Amino acid sequence: PMLAAIVMAAQLVASATAGKTTYVVGGWLPQDSASISRTLAPIFQDYLSDRVGSKMDPPVKFVFKPVDQDSDTSSRSLIESGGLDMLYSVAGSVACKAAQFSWVPLATQQNILGSSVTGSDALVVFSLLNNSAITRVEDLKGGKLGCGYLYSGATYYEGFQMLLDHGVHMYRDLAQVRFYGADYDAYFRAVLRGDLDAGFVSASWLSRNDYDEEGLLRVHDRQDALAYEGDRFPASASRLTPSSGLAVSQDVPWQLKRQVLQALEDINASLPSMRALKLAGWTSAANYGATFTALEHSGIVYQSNHSKMCRDPFDREDIWRSITCPHGYYLVDYNTSARQCDLAGLPCPPGVICFCRPCVP
């Protein structure tokens, strides 16, 4: 009976993958496309092809592709055209794909922070330690702030909410808000040289890049006892968010999903790519319900007819549509918002999306 069960399971896997032998895995990191491929292709292309694909009948191949660096590499466009089967990205992107395309969150990475392992990441709201003009969150009013990727809780929407909790509305009170997308290093260094007053960044990014934040940065709304799923977060931070994860199309056979999850759970943490990312491994997917709620509150997820949609992180006008102004203020029209920074003497750096107080009395 056991042999018959093994044969039947093998036949199910074979029949489930019949007709499709190549699966495209998209991946995002706060790096350029070449660096993303060097880091992630060994996991999502080479390792999965060897560990999972070679055991299928017929064999299955996994192909890795960097995504979401700009509008030309948009994962949303690739999914809509049928060119993507799986996506590795930050929690907000995983939640968006689940909401918009009914994709399935499959796995969540386990980060190494210091000597601890955690399935979470964290928002770090930072300014320079030696900047005596900004010692509290409220001191950010009138300042310039750097953000990262729209779908990242650690570099945008959790920070948006944290400022609101302190009575600071990003689009009413800050002189300028800049979106740098994947180029976290650019706005981190802009804060260091004084071109920006503060920024939102992730604890895992700081750890991977070995920045001595303790001696250099002031962490605002600093929490030293944050806990994720009962475990203490091993670093000082402002708010928690689930780690990056892997989302999978519903069209991927469930047997193949199971094999991919098992392979990721069994991955060797000593692989160069795992060490580069400071990952201990993978577990089955975290609950992204709170992430989805945070995306709704920040205007990134919205209702369109009978469907949930996510704003386009590369379209300035779509980000403008996500802005909700506080009571007594209204959102200026898009064309006016596009001129505000120049009129305020705060030009926007090339390739960066900027807003300068689009909420007016």
Side-chain angles (χ1 to χ4, degrees):
M2 183 175 293
L3 179 60
I6 292 172
V7 172
M8 183 176 294
Q11 290 172 338
L12 281 171
V13 171
S15 63
T17 59
K20 185 176 176 77
T21 57
T22 300
Y23 289 87
V24 180
V25 185
W28 183 91
L29 285 171
Q31 300 174 358
D32 60 74
S33 293
S35 298
I36 293 173
S37 291
R38 284 195 300 271
T39 304
L40 295 180
I43 297 173
F44 295 111
Q45 179 172 297
D46 304 339
Y47 174 74
L48 288 183
S49 291
D50 176 64
R51 182 65 185 265
V52 177
S54 64
K55 296 176 174 58
M56 298 296 174
D57 184 18
V60 167
K61 179 172 66 173
F62 293 87
V63 175
F64 179 78
K65 176 179 291 189
V67 297
D68 292 330
Q69 294 298 292
D70 49 39
S71 57
D72 293 332
T73 58
S74 164
S75 60
R76 180 168 77 178
S77 298
L78 286 167
I79 291 170
E80 290 172 341
S81 65
L84 205 62
D85 302 293
M86 304 180 186
L87 174 68
Y88 166 80
S89 192
V90 289
S93 188
V94 170
C96 267
K97 300 307 178 284
Q100 190 166 346
F101 299 107
S102 299
W103 275 35
V104 179
L106 186 69
T108 297
Q109 71 184 30
Q110 300 292 296
N111 296 316
I112 298 174
L113 291 177
S115 59
S116 301
V117 174
T118 176
S120 62
D121 202 348
L123 157 76
V124 177
V125 182
F126 71 96
S127 63
L128 282 180
L129 189 62
N130 62 8
N131 184 354
S132 59
I134 300 176
T135 60
R136 307 173 305 146
V137 173
E138 291 79 5
D139 295 334
L140 295 176
K141 290 182 178 181
K144 296 181 291 181
L145 176 77
C147 304
Y149 186 34
L150 188 72
Y151 293 160
S152 167
T155 66
Y156 177 58
Y157 58 84
E158 290 290 356
F160 173 84
Q161 186 60 52
M162 191 274 272
L163 262 60
L164 277 183
D165 292 346
H166 287 266
V168 181
H169 192 290
M170 286 176 60
Y171 300 108
R172 177 194 64 189
D173 299 320
L174 301 185
Q176 187 176 54
V177 176
R178 299 181 189 174
F179 286 90
Y180 284 79
D183 199 353
Y184 292 9
D185 190 67
Y187 69 90
F188 184 84
R189 296 193 180 282
V191 174
L192 296 188
R193 65 175 180 267
D195 184 39
L196 288 171
D197 296 297
F200 298 157
V201 77
S202 71
S204 64
W205 184 83
L206 287 172
S207 175
R208 282 199 299 271
N209 288 278
D210 295 320
Y211 286 119
D212 180 18
E213 67 272 22
E214 294 297 330
L216 188 65
L217 308 179
R218 186 188 306 278
V219 177
H220 295 278
D221 200 26
R222 188 187 195 113
Q223 307 290 323
D224 293 315
L226 291 169
Y228 178 77
E229 294 185 346
D231 294 327
R232 184 182 179 280
F233 189 72
S236 296
S238 306
R239 282 181 181 241
L240 294 186
T241 181
S243 292
S244 295
L246 183 71
V248 181
S249 166
Q250 282 200 60
D251 295 333
V252 175
W254 71 267
Q255 295 94 342
L256 186 59
K257 292 187 183 87
R258 187 177 62 183
Q259 297 282 338
V260 168
L261 175 59
Q262 185 64 59
L264 290 175
E265 289 178 334
D266 292 343
I267 198 167
N268 188 335
S270 67
L271 290 175
S273 289
M274 296 289 285
R275 292 202 308 270
L277 289 169
K278 290 195 175 180
L279 298 186
W282 297 78
T283 62
S284 56
N287 185 335
Y288 290 96
T291 299
F292 178 79
T293 300
L295 290 168
E296 282 192 309
H297 287 169
S298 60
I300 298 171
V301 170
Y302 66 101
Q303 189 75 28
S304 177
N305 295 324
H306 300 293
S307 302
K308 294 289 187 182
M309 301 289 288
C310 291
R311 299 293 178 189
D312 186 339
F314 311 109
D315 185 334
R316 186 185 186 279
E317 186 169 1
D318 213 21
I319 298 174
W320 167 81
R321 292 191 188 100
S322 75
I323 298 172
T324 299
C325 294
H327 181 70
Y329 290 75
Y330 72 93
L331 179 64
V332 299
D333 66 78
Y334 177 71
N335 290 331
T336 299
S337 79
R339 299 191 297 268
Q340 285 179 303
C341 290
D342 286 335
L343 291 173
L346 299 170
C348 193
V352 177
I353 293 174
C354 299
F355 294 95
C356 292
R357 288 187 164 132
C359 291
V360 300

